[in-house]
Amino acid sequence: MEREPYFFLSYARRDDRGSAFVGRFYDDLVEELARLGADVSGQQPFLDVERIGLGMDWESTLGSEIGHCRAMVALCSPAYVNSLYCGKEWAAFESRVLKYREQTDIEVPALIPILWVPLHQAMPPEISRYQYFEPAMGQEYLEQGLMGLLRSAPGGRAYRAVLELVAKRVQHVADLFRLPRAQGLDLGTVRSPFEGREPAGPGSRTTGHVRVFIAAGVTDPLPEGRQRREYYGPSPLDWTPYHPPVHPTVAYRAQRVIIDEGCTSTLEVVDGGLGEKLEEAMYNNQTSVLLVDAWAAREGRYRTALSDYDRENHPVTGVLVPCHETDEESGDEKLWADLQQVFRRNWMRRNDPYDPLFQVQVERQRFEDRLARMVVVAQNRLMEKAVPRRLPAGPSAPPMPGLSVPYPPPSRADDPTEPEGPFAPAEGSGQ
């Protein structure tokens, strides 16, 4: 019998590097389908890391699986819509759905988009024309995405509600319909529908790196004057300043924003060597962001390092201080007066719309936008100040031959310095 995968899981590799959330969701979905009575044993669902072995032609394998699967579950995210091969997978499967509609006049909901990580901009129309939200999925799903729910409470009500709805949709289309097969599908000839969102290719823009420094409290002991333990964890990296005080942590939120802006990032905890690290970052043509817990900043562990930062000039470093409006403890005016003493020099430019590198009392709904703008502005300033690093001295180059006629400057249209695209391509589930 010819293979017809019960479903194909399409996702961006960049969303799952260093973690196992995609694999966990795949396993949970297969288990939920079994609970609903679906028999997938004869037509094993497709997940690339399980079905593409060493030495196999991955592009040919992907084409075969997409051309024969019964349903496709797409984990939509900023990385997904910027992935060349995710776009190809989407287009290839959608063509089968459209062909079936032409042949039968039946709309089969076999292309199932899932909000894996929320997008800062509007969902591309190629995706939003398909229903990716139902009221039963809950507001938490829209705010955090399914990966956020899986990260914070993998067995929780919100995650299970979405999982059950997805499984029911997959079972419905896989058991009742058979889309026309696409024999010999060559993904190399398929064009991604996310036109204008795809990276233009290597060399159009160098991906920047952002060093993220966290100055936050822990549960034991809590910052002085703080009573609410649920906002903290055993490490400063576990800090969750927004209500409800659950994951994703502010560090995770920050890294998600930075990825969306086409940059890479690392996480560090603020210590006495902060100033030297910021100088090192700038020397290496990197930008930095300080995420500061107003409660912890008043203590000796961080106060000295942050005050030293305030007295120095760090033009490509941003500071962001989160605060949730319903956290009654953080409404204390003395808390912010103390923070003003820590950042005496920078306090005058707080929340300046024209100089967005010092943002305080940033509410949850504004966190992503404020941080994204901070990263972009810091990167732009870095490009103005970046110093090329010289290679070690070598033998002198031979003299250049002279030109017998003046060489005209390139026209504006031919100017090779004009940017052509945003950043290097992200990987799809097949690459």
Side-chain angles (χ1 to χ4, degrees):
M1 183 175 63
E2 192 169 10
R3 176 170 161 74
E4 289 184 344
Y6 204 78
F7 68 86
F8 179 102
L9 188 61
S10 177
Y11 71 99
R13 281 281 186 90
R14 199 169 71 183
D15 281 336
D16 207 44
R17 287 176 176 164
S19 65
F21 293 114
V22 169
R24 170 64 188 270
F25 170 68
Y26 171 85
D27 290 341
D28 288 347
L29 183 53
V30 171
E31 184 178 324
E32 182 66 18
L33 284 166
R35 191 187 69 81
L36 294 174
D39 181 11
V40 304
S41 58
Q43 297 294 348
Q44 184 69 22
F46 180 83
L47 178 64
D48 62 341
V49 295
E50 291 191 352
R51 303 294 302 182
I52 299 181
L54 184 65
M56 293 178 65
D57 183 340
W58 61 265
E59 191 172 51
S60 174
T61 301
L62 282 177
S64 176
E65 300 288 325
I66 294 171
H68 292 78
C69 64
R70 301 182 187 181
M72 187 172 94
V73 178
L75 304 185
C76 301
S77 69
Y80 190 90
V81 300
N82 281 317
S83 167
L84 175 63
Y85 269 84
C86 288
K88 287 174 176 285
E89 292 165 6
W90 180 281
F93 187 80
E94 183 182 43
S95 67
R96 296 178 58 206
V97 174
L98 296 178
K99 186 175 181 179
Y100 186 84
R101 184 173 66 185
E102 292 173 1
Q103 294 174 348
T104 66
D105 202 29
I106 298 175
E107 189 77 43
V108 181
L111 181 48
I112 307 169
I114 301 299
L115 187 63
W116 187 244
V117 176
L119 281 73
H120 297 314
Q121 292 80 29
M123 187 76 79
E126 294 81 10
I127 295 178
S128 61
R129 70 165 60 105
Y130 297 94
Q131 190 73 14
Y132 63 90
F133 173 72
E134 297 179 13
M137 290 176 160
Q139 189 66 24
E140 291 175 87
Y141 165 71
L142 283 180
E143 292 180 355
Q144 300 183 36
L146 190 60
M147 187 169 78
L149 299 181
L150 182 55
R151 179 187 293 269
S152 61
R157 175 199 53 79
Y159 173 69
R160 300 300 305 183
V162 178
L163 179 67
E164 182 178 353
L165 286 171
V166 174
K168 287 180 177 178
R169 175 65 58 83
V170 170
Q171 182 187 28
H172 172 72
V173 299
D175 288 351
L176 295 182
F177 302 96
R178 290 296 181 273
L179 299 177
R181 296 171 180 172
Q183 299 287 356
L185 176 62
D186 180 6
L187 285 182
T189 64
V190 178
R191 183 175 181 179
S192 169
F194 308 136
E195 194 67 38
R197 294 175 179 265
E198 289 184 315
S204 57
R205 170 179 150 185
T206 301
T207 299
H209 184 80
V210 183
R211 291 177 69 171
V212 180
F213 296 88
I214 311 290
V218 295
T219 49
D220 189 19
L222 286 171
E224 183 179 353
R226 198 69 156 123
Q227 304 298 321
R228 302 288 297 273
R229 302 179 63 86
E230 60 267 37
Y231 290 102
Y232 300 99
S235 162
L237 301 182
D238 296 315
W239 176 40
T240 56
Y242 293 119
H243 186 82
V246 295
H247 290 286
T249 65
V250 74
Y252 168 75
R253 289 174 182 266
Q255 288 194 301
R256 190 176 69 191
V257 171
I258 292 167
I259 286 174
D260 292 355
E261 296 306 321
C263 299
T264 58
S265 65
T266 51
L267 295 175
E268 305 171 59
V269 176
V270 169
D271 60 20
L274 177 63
E276 291 81 1
K277 292 177 181 179
L278 296 179
E279 292 292 339
E280 175 189 57
M282 187 170 177
Y283 178 84
N284 292 327
N285 291 330
Q286 300 171 341
T287 57
S288 302
V289 170
L290 309 183
L291 298 177
V292 178
D293 173 15
W295 291 92
R298 305 191 298 177
E299 300 180 351
R301 178 182 179 184
Y302 298 122
R303 187 182 185 101
T304 301
L306 295 175
S307 295
D308 289 345
Y309 156 82
D310 184 66
R311 288 191 291 268
E312 298 167 356
N313 182 34
H314 296 287
V316 296
T317 298
V319 175
L320 190 148
V321 185
C323 176
H324 195 71
E325 64 274 15
T326 61
D327 176 12
E328 64 280 359
E329 291 182 5
S330 293
D332 183 2
E333 293 183 5
K334 187 176 185 305
L335 172 68
W336 302 104
D338 288 346
L339 189 68
Q340 179 179 356
Q341 294 304 306
V342 176
F343 293 107
R344 290 187 180 186
R345 181 170 170 266
N346 283 280
W347 196 257
M348 293 297 294
R349 65 180 184 125
R350 68 190 184 281
N351 301 338
D352 185 339
Y354 302 103
D355 183 16
L357 295 192
F358 191 80
Q359 300 287 310
V360 301
Q361 293 182 283
V362 178
E363 299 172 356
R364 180 180 63 178
Q365 62 269 29
R366 297 185 178 181
F367 177 83
E368 281 81 7
D369 290 339
R370 295 279 183 93
L371 180 58
R373 186 161 182 236
M374 183 179 291
V375 168
V376 170
V377 170
Q379 289 287 326
N380 290 342
R381 290 185 182 177
L382 178 64
M383 291 302 100
E384 297 172 358
K385 299 175 179 292
V387 179
R389 300 301 167 202
R390 295 183 181 275
L391 295 174
S396 301
M400 293 291 290
L403 294 174
S404 59
V405 294
Y407 185 73
S411 68
R412 185 176 185 85
D414 297 328
D415 187 357
T417 64
E418 284 292 320
E420 296 180 359
F423 45 86
E427 299 175 9
S429 54
Q431 183 170 307

